[in-house]
């Protein structure tokens, strides 16, 4: 018999306990520890059931022992969380069929050593001293993250993965504690996902080793979140099919960048959207990297510069013109900064996002269709040659040594959506025949004549003008609208094809 035992504690926040597990068919028993024992069958593979305990028991903080058991080897996953109740400890040693284990910070104790067959582990919280992977011989995927409230930024955390010789995916983000990691000498790591705090938790030598292994295995590096550039999330969704990014006749592409490194900013990250194929990155210090994409997907180039390096010229090249998107994301506390970027040699570019870039000219890429900008103050930044632009997202800054008060979009006749958070912007100039269907803005003091003119154009196009409140999410709203448009475009295309076939 396979069984999992959880000791939980009730408290004043609520009295509803939960069990989430994965079943490989069949059913299982759950003894809730208060005299109630039921048989449950999973909906598909996931079992998610709740149980209400008496209020008086919870108020007195009585401990309950919950047993999840089955006569067959069908319990293959467990989420160590229990609704309103706190898990004091969880014993999984009696469930050798377990392949997936996830624990939240509410769980204070667990031991993975008795389950060498587990292939996927996800940990959220402070697990110093209890996350022991010395017997995780079959582990293939590992995800670790910490919350600020349960982390000690000055305490070194030892992560020994030397026995995890089958590890293929490693995700490490939102970590404030420095990590001393021990990796196997040879292992098939093909995917490494990092977060904003990567510099604070990994040493330079550790990052170098991870990057070297990824490159040797022809793997890829990813970032946990691209939330700063909302349109980029659209292209991570398979249903969108990247319909707005059709690429013209293949052409050679090259992008030139100036990257500055100083202090702790030795880590350079380049984010590219490739339409399949590969591209090369010359980091300017004698080192090169190659990124491979199997489909249309975001790829991340990562490089660790030496301490003596101050500024380098980076060149990105592709022979097939498959570079259709790029993000230059500067994070002063973590990464080497992109000071300047030349996009003129990459006419295949259809999406561009950037923050804190001081030298940028997008007028030389008229085919760009989507632009996300955050705190860009470049004197050459304008949209007078962006004839193909369809979606524009600007937050805090639109060019010039002085903060701009006017935005000229007269040449952007194909512009469909515009999202703004620009505290100094008062005037928008736009062609009366513009295709604009959506304007969403907050903290942007547009004057009455601008709003009146834009409202007339948007109303004629059947769209809407929205001034958001302080608590409204501009990014979420733009994403929702974009997906609605994508689905509508898909339906229209399918209808046309069916009509043609008839």
């Amino acid at each position: 018999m396979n069984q999992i035992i959880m000791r939980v504690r009730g408290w004043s926040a609520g009295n509803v306990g939960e069990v989430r597990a994965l079943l490989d068919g069949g059913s299982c028993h759950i003894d809730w520890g208060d005299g109630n024992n039921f048989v449950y069958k999973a909906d598909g593979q996931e079992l998610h059931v709740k149980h209400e305990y008496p209020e008086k028991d919870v108020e007195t903080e009585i401990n309950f022992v919950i047993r999840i058991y089955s006569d067959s080897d069908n319990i293959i996953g467990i989420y160590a969380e229990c609704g309103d109740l706190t898990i004091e400890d969880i014993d999984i040693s009696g469930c050798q069929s377990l392949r997936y284990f996830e624990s939240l910070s509410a769980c204070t104790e667990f031991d993975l050593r008795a389950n060498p067959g587990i292939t996927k582990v996800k940990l959220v919280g402070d697990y110093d001293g209890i996350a022991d992977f010395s017997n995780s011989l079959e582990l293939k995927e590992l995800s670790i993250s910490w919350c600020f409230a349960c982390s000690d930024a000055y305490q070194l955390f030892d992560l020994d993965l030397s026995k995890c010789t089958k590890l293929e995916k490693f995700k490490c983000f939102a970590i404030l504690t420095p990590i001393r990691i021990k990796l196997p000498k040879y292992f098939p790591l093909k995917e490494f996902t990092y977060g904003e705090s990567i510099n604070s938790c990994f040493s330079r030598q550790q990052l170098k080793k991870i990057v070297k292994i990824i490159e040797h295995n022809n793997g890829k590096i990813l970032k946990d979140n691209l939330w700063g550039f909302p349109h980029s999330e659209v292209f991570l969704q398979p249903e969108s099919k990247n319909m707005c990014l059709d690429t013209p006749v293949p052409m050679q592409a090259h992008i030139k960048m100036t990257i500055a490194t100083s202090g702790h900013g030795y880590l350079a990250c380049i984010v590219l959207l490739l339409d399949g194929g590969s591209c090369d990155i010359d980091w300017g210090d004698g080192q090169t990297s190659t990124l491979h994409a199997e489909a249309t997907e975001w790829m991340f180039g990562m490089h660790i510069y030496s301490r003596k390096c101050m500024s380098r010229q980076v060149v990105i090249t592709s022979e097939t013109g498959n570079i259709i998107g790029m993000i230059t994301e500067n994070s002063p506390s973590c990464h080497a900064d992109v000071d300047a970027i030349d996009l003129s040699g990459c006419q295949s570019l259809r999406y561009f996002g950037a923050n804190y870039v001081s030298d940028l000219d997008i007028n030389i890429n008229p085919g760009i269709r989507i632009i996300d900008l955050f705190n860009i103050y470049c004197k050459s930044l304008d949209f007078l040659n962006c004839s193909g632009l369809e979606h524009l997202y600007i937050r805090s800054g639109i060019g010039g040594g002085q903060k701009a008060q006017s935005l000229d979009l007269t040449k952007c006749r194909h512009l469909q959506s515009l999202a703004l958070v620009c505290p100094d912007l008062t005037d928008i100039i736009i062609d009366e025949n513009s295709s604009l269907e959506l304007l969403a803005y907050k903290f942007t003091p547009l004057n009455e004549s601008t709003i009146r003119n834009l409202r007339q154009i948007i109303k004629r196009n059947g769209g809407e003008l929205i001034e958001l409140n302080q608590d409204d999410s501009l990014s979420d709203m733009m994403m929702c609208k974009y997906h609605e448009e994508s689905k509508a475009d898909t339906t229209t295309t399918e209808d046309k094809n069916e009509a043609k076939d008839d």
Side-chain angles (χ1 to χ4, degrees), residues 194 221-223 226 255-259 267-274 279-284 289 291 298-303 305 312-317 323 325-330 335-338 341:
Y194 70 96
I221 296 172
L222 304 172
K223 188 176 181 183
L226 290 177
I255 298 172
K256 298 178 181 178
M257 306 169 61
T258 301
I259 291 184
L267 174 63
C269 299
I270 293 178
V271 189
L272 300 171
L273 181 64
L274 299 184
C279 72
D280 296 319
I281 303 176
D282 183 341
W283 296 100
S289 299
L291 304 181
W298 285 104
M299 304 298 295
F300 295 74
M302 182 180 289
H303 185 65
Y305 285 100
R312 294 292 182 182
Q313 298 298 313
V314 178
V315 180
I316 307 166
T317 57
I323 304 176
M326 181 176 189
I327 292 177
T328 61
E329 185 178 20
N330 286 335
H335 305 137
D337 290 339
V338 177
I341 181 168

Side-chain angles (χ1 to χ4, degrees), residues 45 49 218 274 287 502:
Q45 190 177 57
V49 294
N218 290 324
L274 299 184
Q287 302 296 318
D502 293 341

